[in-house]
Amino acid sequence: MLPTRKDFPQDFLFGVATSAYQIEGHSFGGAGPTHWDSFAATPGNVDKADNGAVGCDHYHRLVEDLDLIAGGNFDVYRFSTSWARVLPEGRGAVNQDGLDFYDRLVDGLLERGVKPAATLYHWELPSALADLGGWRNRDIANWFADYTRVIMERIGDRVWSAAPINEPWCVSWLSHFEGHHAPGLRDIRATARAMHHVLLSHGRAIEVMRDLGMSNLGAVCNFEYVEPADNSAETARAVATYDAIYNRFFLGGIFKGEYPQEVLEGLAPHLPTGWQDDFATITQPVDWCGLNYYTRKIIGPADTPWPSLEERPGPLPKTEMGWEIYPDGLEYFLKRTARDFTGDLPLYVTENGMAAPDRLENGAVQDDDRIDYINRHLGAVQRAVQAGVPVKGYYSWSLMDNFEWALGYDKRFGLVHVDFDSLERTPKASYHAFRKALTR
Ligand code: FCB
């Protein structure tokens, strides 16, 4: 059982989320190559050498998937548009089939009474732009602005909301410092540049969409609660650094026009010259802020160069990702984001969910652990609402099992089960629980 609509404010919206590369099938419909294709083709980067070539075949099964969204009684659907599907070379020639696909997607949602919530970049950078340095190259802000104009000139009149970039931390830190995601770099200078250029690109895209007359524009960041490994001063410093890199850098740039001191300590020498002058663009006003939240980390000091910290194992029950389940962290970030960064601006939980060891038996998946996870996180949302935080919606990650990046297809986050051989969809118990809870 999940809480029902009447347990939330009247205007509270429930949604499901996906992303282009994880579901569409990137080999279909004339999409150009991306850095995720080449990253996945490099041995050792992705579990079982899986990739997004077929995904969930959403490109061909759009109608069935739209029916699933509407059938679950969801109010809003958060999807992303693929840059390389719209502009196969990242710039220049437009793939009309790509534009037509997103047009059908948006119209199909509207016909079913579901609000389209678009994200412009959920990680599959066109290879031609990766060849030019990708997020390390300042020009990406202009390329991204041009792409924003092309796709939004087509669908911007009908989307309900739009956000430029999903999870700037993953785009920059996870992919350029930790090397876990494409382009798989481990380089502090590349990281600093990517972190700054991601925000500059965010600002430019907001400018373009305002210019097109669009409204309800936001930013989507991800957060991880940080728990100190012990009470030492060194640990407190490591925790503050981790928190600043992960949870405060991007909000600081967008909402305050400044970067946290703890990050500048390590990254200032590597940031592009004149970075301070870009805050006028980065702080373009937005209408809402989205929080993606899954877990917490236990952090302690490490005897290494900056950021001089390491992750330690935690004691709480974990999901299939090995992520600790910690709903209090969601309440904490909703409250802290409103208090320290966004004030009265509407907040949305734009992603939350878990990977579980789901088993399809007799045509059903009894994912009670997922229902429990969602329940507990919705409880955290309710506590934030009661405390006066303007939380306006919650999106479940994800509509269906999909390509979970470096972990391939084995980590199942969906409310709907996907058989990756037959591509057959089977709604899980969690989907049915939402359908019931959200009956109007
Ligand atoms: C988020 C990503 C999403 C998915 C979930 C599990 O960081 O935005 O694509 O991979 O994690």
Side-chain angles (χ1 to χ4, degrees), residues 22 122-123 166-167 170 292 294 323 351 397 404-405 413:
Q22 293 179 278
H122 200 130
W123 305 358
N166 179 67
E167 300 188 349
C170 288
N292 294 356
Y294 292 92
W323 294 349
E351 280 182 33
W397 182 273
E404 179 43 40
W405 307 111
F413 273 90

Side-chain angles (χ1 to χ4, degrees), residues 356-423:
D358 300 323
R359 283 219 311 277
L360 183 62
E361 282 166 339
N362 305 321
V365 179
Q366 199 55 45
D367 56 339
D368 294 319
D369 42 0
R370 180 172 290 106
I371 296 176
D372 184 57
Y373 179 100
I374 297 167
N375 238 322
R376 294 177 59 198
H377 286 82
L378 283 176
V381 172
Q382 283 171 317
R383 293 196 293 280
V385 169
Q386 274 149 22
V389 181
V391 196
K392 299 294 181 193
Y394 172 95
Y395 296 72
S396 193
W397 182 273
S398 178
L399 168 66
M400 55 190 163
D401 299 335
N402 57 48
F403 175 66
E404 179 43 40
W405 307 111
L407 297 172
Y409 289 96
D410 281 350
K411 298 286 180 271
R412 296 178 174 273
F413 273 90
L415 303 178
V416 174
H417 179 274
V418 178
D419 177 322
F420 288 107
D421 293 323
S422 68
L423 293 163

